Amino acid sequence: MAEIEFTIDTETGNCETKINGIQGPACEQTAKQLKQVLGTPTTDRKTADFHVRPKTKRRVGHE
């Protein structure tokens, strides 16, 4: 299940977000939407979910 985790440091006001359960290009799109709402992050780390690419199946046509 996809979720976005927010951690706010009450002393500094810094907000850390972590995207869980969204893989590949969809993760990047979600991160872009968050940047529009929250602004540019001070750091940006890619998780293992980001690096997962959808598997494609090769189809061989028969004539």
Side-chain angles (χ1 to χ4, degrees):
M1 174 183 218
E3 68 179 24
I4 300 171
E5 180 181 316
F6 294 91
T7 305
I8 301 172
D9 184 326
T10 56
E11 291 183 20
T12 65
N14 290 333
C15 177
E16 180 179 317
T17 58
K18 183 175 180 185
I19 301 169
N20 298 310
I22 303 174
Q23 299 178 336
C27 181
E28 185 68 20
Q29 182 62 33
T30 302
K32 283 182 184 180
Q33 292 171 342
L34 283 174
K35 288 175 189 176
Q36 289 176 346
V37 173
L38 300 174
T40 304
T42 55
T43 59
D44 188 0
R45 292 183 301 255
K46 307 291 190 256
T47 64
D49 279 343
F50 171 79
H51 297 287
V52 174
R53 296 292 177 225
K55 294 181 182 179
T56 58
K57 294 182 182 181
R58 283 180 64 181
R59 294 181 64 165
V60 179
H62 296 286
E63 293 183 34

